Amino acid sequence: MTRMTANRRHPEGVRRLGRVTRAYLARRYTLLFYSLLLTLGAGPLIAAVGGDPAVIFWFLGVNLVAAVLGVEARPRWRPLLVSAVVFFVLARLVAVALDSPRLIVTSLVLWVVIAVLAAAQALRFAMRARRIDAEHVYAALSAYLLAGFFCGVLYRVIESAWPGSFATAGTVATFSIQNAIYFSFVTLATLGYGDIVPHTEVARGIAIVEAVAGQLYLAVLIARLVSLYTYEISRERD
């Protein structure tokens, strides 16, 4: 009797898990976008209250896992992808605990690589849309924010590997992870305030690539969305 009850409950639990998974996958980029926005606001807040700057890495780690969950893959591959990302996040924590600069830099480089792949997948999902809906728009915006965040991580890696790659002026005292992310988004939006300046060829090259890619991204994205919108209107009229 007990065994029969357990067998009945087990399929119900599987069905519930399946419904939750499908619901998450249907809104995965919406959740990722707001998670990235939360992280964007958390950085200045942490600095304002005098918190530990390393806390931002926890936010970035969570976003990285969420970004990988959005990757379209076969069901059997998804747990492996998520496990790999969790492993790299834990590797970062171990590297910090051991105070090993090489391990810290290596783990952050792996983060950047995974983030680039996740952003590319989000962009692919957005550009393959046949009609405009909120999820595809959130995917495109998430790709943009992922690029800004993890280019900032890359700038921090460059400064750690080659000290003096960035010069700071004014009220900017050190090139912390918050300042690296700030510089990344300023570069991505081509604002160019001038309070942080790349000095080495590597830093300048990546900054140029990010600035040009950011402008091209917005131009292509707007053109794509406008074309889909006009196509839908023409279909409705026909």
Side-chain angles (χ1 to χ4, degrees):
M1 186 75 175
T2 305
R3 187 174 299 178
M4 290 178 63
T5 304
N7 290 335
R8 290 176 182 175
R9 289 178 180 176
H10 181 69
E12 180 61 26
V14 172
R15 284 194 293 270
R16 287 183 179 179
L17 180 60
R19 287 195 295 267
V20 171
T21 301
R22 288 191 295 271
Y24 170 78
L25 292 177
R27 295 290 183 268
R28 59 191 186 276
Y29 286 116
T30 302
L31 297 174
L32 176 60
F33 173 73
Y34 286 110
S35 176
L36 290 168
L37 278 186
L38 176 64
T39 304
L40 196 60
L45 181 61
I46 292 171
V49 300
D52 186 2
V55 174
I56 198 67
F57 286 108
W58 286 94
F59 284 90
L60 293 176
V62 170
N63 286 315
L64 196 61
V65 174
V68 171
L69 283 173
V71 173
E72 292 183 354
R74 294 180 179 179
R76 64 178 181 178
W77 289 108
R78 194 179 299 277
L80 295 177
L81 292 173
V82 176
S83 299
V85 175
V86 171
F87 172 77
F88 291 137
V89 172
L90 293 177
R92 156 75 188 179
L93 299 178
V94 171
V96 172
L98 296 177
D99 194 18
S100 173
R102 290 186 177 180
L103 287 178
I104 292 174
V105 170
T106 301
S107 63
L108 290 180
V109 170
L110 291 173
W111 279 27
V112 172
V113 172
I114 295 171
V116 169
L117 295 176
Q121 175 62 33
L123 179 59
R124 179 171 174 265
F125 174 80
M127 290 302 181
R128 289 196 311 171
R130 297 299 181 184
R131 55 177 300 176
I132 300 174
D133 62 9
E135 190 65 12
H136 289 91
V137 173
Y138 280 125
L141 295 175
S142 297
Y144 189 79
L145 292 180
L146 278 172
F149 273 114
F150 286 95
C151 277
V153 174
L154 183 58
Y155 292 136
R156 187 67 187 91
V157 168
I158 293 173
E159 178 64 22
S160 299
W162 299 284
S165 295
F166 295 88
T168 58
T171 58
V172 181
T174 59
F175 196 66
S176 62
I177 182 61
Q178 284 91 345
N179 288 332
I181 292 174
Y182 158 77
F183 173 75
S184 176
F185 278 100
V186 167
T187 303
L188 189 64
T190 64
L191 295 175
Y193 290 130
D195 49 352
I196 301 176
V197 180
H199 264 195
T200 62
E201 296 299 327
V202 174
R204 289 174 178 172
I206 295 177
I208 290 173
V209 170
E210 183 182 15
V212 173
Q215 294 305 298
L216 291 177
Y217 181 85
L218 291 178
V220 172
L221 176 62
I222 292 173
R224 175 64 174 169
L225 294 180
V226 169
S227 65
L228 287 175
Y229 180 72
T230 54
Y231 176 71
E232 287 184 10
I233 291 178
S234 63
R235 286 190 61 185
E236 291 176 358
R237 289 178 178 176
D238 293 341

